């Protein structure tokens, strides 16, 4: 511990060094725009009251946002009893000012949506594909094909888009635009964002697909009113997105929340990441399929797809096959271990289980949740609420679109801030 300075030394100060205008201290212009976007329609006087700022400040900033084409005045609906006098005016995002696309690239299906600046769905598309990793060129061609199809549905050219968000499974650095590893790519450490931007001619941002499910829940779903919640995705892999203080938490290296690669068994089953004992190696599609082949007495040369194999396993479990039921039960127990770790580490308000495998109710049976309760710290309080969202891949694409909307709006707001400072 240091003492007080002597001889005129400059005080060094104490406490955390928090950079100005961080996520917890956003510029008023950004706070106003985000509140308008979240509300849909909101009067100026309500904005001033909720943000605890002067009506004059709100009026000045809103005038700048209107001039920049980000928001617009809209006649607000009102009750018949208050219909006399001048029509009430509210503020809303100018939906037609920008269009963005969101895509999810996965092992068995690529999906895409186009939304306007207010987040309204304009068009969507899904393209099945053969499982397995691709070269970068093959992946970019798949992106171009999917984008052309969804743009045709929307009646716009790809170059009319302001931004594109893309989600892929694996280890993704969103800030650097790098895919360090993904099951959909042969190569490692690929600058996918830059490569896709160069190929398409529209700015592209990439992220881990589980983060984008959390973003979709934050923007469009059950997480809109929550400050802290977790989304655990179970499909070909096991992913997790975590929202902390209304923002996606990614960690210092932007590779955090890899729940599927936390270890649940020392020297255990081989995971597709190359390590052993990962949660994913006991719960994900390929883990269940590995055991299903033996349980259903399928020959080693069987060409049945993983989806068909899992559906057969599920049908056998529902029909009372003890071996099939034990496979799901074992996976559910490992899932309980993973979920209890999430509870113990993060204490989220809500855990959302999402992904195609949520159709298999054995994974979240009462026994699984009871085991999670036993493994979680007994604080005397109820455990976090758990919701099951067995939504399709379009939800993931919506999260990618939300990522693109964030990039566009932050760029436009930063431009406005710079202009105002001149």
């Amino acid at each position: 511990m240091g003492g007080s300075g002597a001889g005129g030394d400059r005080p060094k100060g104490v406490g955390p060094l928090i950079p100005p205008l961080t996520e917890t201290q956003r510029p008023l212009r950004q706070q106003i725009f985000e509140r308008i976007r979240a509300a849909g329609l909101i009067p100026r006087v309500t904005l001033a009251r909720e943000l605890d700022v002067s009506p004059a400040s709100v009026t000045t900033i809103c005038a700048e946002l209107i001039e920049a084409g980000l928001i617009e005045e809209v006649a607000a609906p009102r009750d018949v009893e208050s219909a006399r006098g001048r029509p009430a005016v509210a503020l809303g995002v100018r939906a037609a000012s920008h269009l963005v696309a969101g895509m999810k690239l996965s092992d068995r299906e690529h999906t895409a949506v186009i939304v306007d600046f207010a987040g309204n769905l304009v068009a969507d598309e899904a393209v099945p594909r053969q499982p397995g990793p691709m070269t970068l060129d093959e992946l970019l061609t798949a992106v171009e094909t999917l984008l052309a199809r969804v743009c045709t549905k929307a009646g716009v050219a790809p170059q009319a888009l302001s931004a594109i968000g893309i989600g892929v499974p694996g280890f993704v650095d969103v800030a650097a635009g790098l895919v360090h590893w993904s099951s959909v790519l042969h190569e490692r450490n690929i600058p996918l964002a830059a490569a896709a931007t160069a190929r398409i001619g529209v700015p592209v941002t990439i992220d881990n697909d589980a983060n984008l499910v959390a973003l979709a829940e934050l923007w469009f779903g059950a997480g809109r009113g929550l400050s802290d919640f977790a989304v655990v995705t179970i499909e070909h892999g096991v992913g997790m997105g975590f929202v902390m203080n209304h923002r996606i938490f990614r960690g210092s290296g932007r590779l955090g929340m890899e729940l599927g690669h936390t270890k649940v068994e020392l020297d255990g089953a081989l995971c597709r990441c190359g390590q052993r004992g990962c949660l994913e190696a006991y719960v994900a599609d390929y883990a269940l399929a590995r055991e299903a082949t033996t349980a259903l007495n399928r020959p080693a040369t069987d060409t049945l797809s993983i989806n068909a194999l899992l559906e057969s396993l599920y049908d056998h479990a529902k029909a009372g096959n003890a071996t099939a039921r034990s496979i799901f039960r074992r996976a559910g127990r490992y899932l309980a271990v993973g979920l209890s770790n999430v509870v113990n580490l993060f204490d989220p308000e809500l855990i959302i289980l999402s992904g195609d495998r949520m159709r298999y109710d054995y994974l979240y049976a009462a026994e699984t949740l009871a085991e999670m309760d036993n493994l979680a710290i007994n604080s005397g309080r109820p455990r976090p609420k758990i919701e099951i969202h067995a939504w399709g891949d379009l939800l993931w694409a919506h999260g990618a679109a939300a990522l693109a909307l964030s990039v566009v709006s932050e760029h436009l707001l930063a431009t406005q801030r710079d202009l105002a400072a001149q």
Side-chain angles (χ1 to χ4, degrees):
M1 298 287 291
S4 58
D9 290 347
R10 180 178 177 178
K12 295 183 178 179
V14 295
L17 295 169
I18 302 175
L21 303 180
T22 60
E23 294 229 286
T24 56
Q25 188 181 345
R26 303 187 312 285
L28 181 57
R29 178 178 283 98
Q30 184 174 347
Q31 293 182 55
I32 287 174
F33 176 79
E34 289 178 351
R35 192 160 288 265
I36 293 171
R37 182 174 60 196
L41 285 178
I42 188 170
R44 289 176 175 83
V45 63
T46 305
L47 275 173
R49 182 176 66 249
E50 292 183 354
L51 293 173
D52 194 25
V53 296
S54 70
S57 296
V58 170
T59 298
T60 299
I61 290 176
C62 286
E64 294 171 354
L65 294 176
I66 291 172
E67 185 179 357
L70 276 69
I71 64 173
E72 60 187 357
E73 291 184 330
V74 181
R78 55 183 179 174
D79 299 332
V80 175
E81 290 81 1
S82 59
R84 288 178 290 180
R86 295 178 59 187
V89 173
L91 298 167
V93 171
R94 189 166 174 263
S97 60
H98 295 276
L99 291 172
V100 303
M103 295 184 178
K104 182 204 176 184
L105 308 179
S106 71
D107 295 277
R108 285 184 294 278
E109 185 180 50
H110 298 326
T111 54
V113 297
I114 290 179
V115 303
D116 63 25
F117 199 41
N120 301 308
L121 179 65
V122 177
D124 59 64
E125 183 62 283
V127 177
R129 79 173 193 84
Q130 291 298 315
M134 295 180 283
T135 66
L136 175 59
D137 189 64
E138 288 170 338
L139 189 70
L140 294 176
T141 298
V143 167
E144 279 188 307
T145 301
L146 178 59
L147 184 63
R149 290 179 60 162
V150 74
C151 283
T152 298
K153 276 192 173 182
V156 298
Q159 285 66 38
L161 301 174
S162 297
I164 299 170
I166 296 178
V168 296
F171 310 142
V172 181
D173 185 333
V174 61
L178 281 173
V179 179
H180 293 287
W181 171 85
S182 175
S183 59
V184 300
L185 276 167
H186 279 295
E187 304 95 332
R188 289 175 176 259
N189 301 316
I190 297 298
L192 180 59
T197 298
R199 176 74 73 93
I200 300 168
V202 176
V204 173
T205 304
I206 63 171
D207 201 351
N208 169 268
D209 55 1
N211 281 343
L212 297 182
V213 178
L215 198 59
E217 295 285 5
L218 178 63
W219 276 59
F220 308 107
R224 291 198 66 208
L226 304 178
S227 63
D228 303 273
F229 67 92
V231 175
V232 175
T233 62
I234 305 174
E235 292 199 313
H236 194 59
V238 176
M240 177 175 163
F242 190 75
V243 170
M244 181 183 296
N245 193 26
H246 306 283
R247 293 288 186 272
I248 295 289
F249 176 79
R250 294 185 172 91
S252 62
R254 300 177 291 274
L255 297 176
M257 301 297 105
E258 284 294 341
L259 178 66
H261 300 287
T262 57
K263 305 301 179 281
V264 295
E265 193 79 54
L266 289 176
D267 302 318
L270 182 64
C271 177
R272 61 179 178 168
C273 75
Q275 296 187 346
R276 290 188 174 274
C278 297
L279 174 63
E280 174 176 299
Y282 295 92
V283 179
D285 280 8
Y286 63 89
L288 295 176
R290 180 182 59 217
E291 298 194 41
T293 302
T294 302
L296 301 178
N297 296 316
R298 312 289 309 188
T301 56
D302 196 349
T303 57
L304 199 65
S305 71
I306 286 183
N307 266 351
L309 190 59
L310 292 181
E311 289 299 326
S312 178
L313 182 70
Y314 186 58
D315 290 342
H316 278 77
K318 283 294 188 183
N321 182 298
T323 303
R325 295 184 68 171
S326 70
I327 291 173
F328 282 108
R329 176 73 185 116
R330 181 169 180 257
R333 295 193 69 192
Y334 277 109
L335 178 60
V337 172
L339 295 180
S340 67
N341 288 336
V342 172
V343 173
N344 291 340
L345 286 169
F346 300 107
D347 188 27
E349 189 173 349
L350 169 69
I351 298 177
I352 299 171
L353 302 180
S354 186
D356 197 42
R357 292 304 148 245
M358 287 299 98
R359 294 186 297 110
Y360 299 153
D361 49 12
Y362 284 101
L363 288 178
Y364 54 91
E367 298 93 333
T368 296
L369 299 184
E371 188 136 26
M372 185 198 82
D373 286 341
N374 292 334
L375 295 170
I377 294 172
N378 184 5
S379 65
R381 297 169 51 217
R383 64 164 165 78
K385 185 179 178 182
I386 293 180
E387 293 186 5
I388 313 300
H389 291 180
W391 298 344
D393 276 4
L394 286 176
L395 172 72
W396 308 60
H398 268 91
L403 177 67
L405 285 174
S406 295
V407 169
V408 172
S409 58
E410 288 174 12
H411 171 73
L412 294 171
L413 290 168
T415 302
Q416 279 294 302
R417 184 179 69 241
D418 294 343
L419 290 174
Q422 292 178 359

